[in-house]
Amino acid sequence: QVQLVESGGGLVQAGGSLRLSCAASGRTFNRYAMGWFRQAPGKEREFVAAISWSGGTTNYADSVKGRFTVFRDNAKNTVYLQMNSLKPEDTGIYYCATGPEYDYWGQGTQVTVSS
């Protein structure tokens, strides 16, 4: 069993930055890739970024490439999402997930980008 807790969300002006954290409990944290997803009001949840268990491979949605960076610290059981040059369309609830098929999800953290 893995439990995930996101933090770091908030209100920021367009062009600003935020760093989200996802703290995991459970001994299987460093066995699986970690993903970040987001859900905007009235929209379906979408993929944002993912990082392999070793941290050596990352993937990003086209909409965030060049602006967001995902990285992890397995010693701290934490994965991060550094978000720069934020846009109003980045607004939403951000979730981290992990597991063989992203079976485990956090409760989410709200990110609001004002124009």
Side-chain angles (χ1 to χ4, degrees):
Q1 188 76 12
V2 177
Q3 293 185 326
L4 305 174
V5 179
E6 302 96 335
S7 62
L11 173 64
V12 63
Q13 289 187 334
S17 298
L18 284 174
R19 177 178 290 185
L20 305 184
S21 299
C22 173
S25 62
R27 291 177 290 179
T28 59
F29 171 76
N30 60 356
R31 290 177 57 185
Y32 302 115
M34 294 289 294
W36 284 98
F37 298 79
R38 67 187 181 189
Q39 187 165 20
K43 296 187 177 180
E44 294 187 354
R45 190 157 51 189
E46 65 175 357
F47 169 78
V48 175
I51 186 167
S52 62
W53 69 270
S54 68
T57 302
T58 56
N59 291 295
Y60 298 92
D62 288 343
S63 59
V64 307
K65 281 181 181 177
R67 300 188 298 122
F68 290 12
T69 302
V70 59
F71 57 101
R72 66 192 296 166
D73 184 340
N74 285 346
K76 295 182 178 180
N77 282 7
T78 302
V79 65
Y80 304 92
L81 184 67
Q82 178 66 42
M83 306 186 296
N84 298 328
S85 302
L86 282 162
K87 304 176 181 180
E89 52 263 43
D90 293 318
T91 293
I93 301 174
Y94 282 69
Y95 301 89
C96 61
T98 192
E101 297 182 3
Y102 288 130
D103 311 274
Y104 306 106
W105 292 78
Q107 82 291 346
T109 186
Q110 176 71 47
V111 172
T112 303
V113 184
S114 62
S115 58

